[in-house]
Amino acid sequence: MPTTSPSDRRSTPGPAAALACLLVAVALLPALAAAAGTKASSRTALQNRCGWFINPTPANAWLDDRDGSWTVALQGGHQADGDWPEFADKDWVVTNGSSYGHGCACMKVKVDRKTMTVLRIASAQSKPLAQCRRDRKLKEPKD
């Protein structure tokens, strides 16, 4: 008769242990689903936002649209990834020095709604000033 060492013996869980494992797995399902939902919601889709692009001073910029003022860049702080819109002279209102001011733009962006921050700019296009001026929900920035 062959001899077996204790390490050769395999024990299989009884019905009680199998039931306990099943209950633990079922109990963890809501937590796993919530974690998956949180991860999915943090990967927000790109949004198209149109409004006043304001660049009053170096490295400071906002996009003011129908939903409020979105921070694009703060000097010495947050800087959204991606390129800002480029404006023709006729579509840019200079309010500070020779190049700082505001214009009308549409931007495809990823945002953080809680902090009203633009995280990434996928694309940006300048628009005629008249487009923003016609929109009654947008207020043109003051000088």
Side-chain angles (χ1 to χ4, degrees), residues 33-108:
T38 301
K39 189 174 182 181
S41 66
S42 69
R43 294 182 302 222
T44 58
L46 292 174
Q47 303 173 7
N48 193 41
R49 298 202 160 269
C50 296
W52 291 108
F53 185 83
I54 306 161
N55 176 216
T57 53
N60 290 303
W62 292 266
L63 179 68
D64 288 1
D65 70 3
R66 294 171 172 228
D67 294 331
S69 186
W70 299 89
T71 301
V72 176
L74 293 173
Q75 189 175 53
H78 170 75
Q79 298 287 319
D81 292 330
D83 295 329
W84 294 3
E86 293 184 22
F87 296 88
D89 289 345
K90 66 183 174 99
D91 294 324
W92 186 251
V93 178
V94 175
T95 58
N96 185 11
S98 62
S99 62
Y100 299 103
H102 63 270
C104 188
C106 287
M107 302 168 61
K108 192 167 282 200

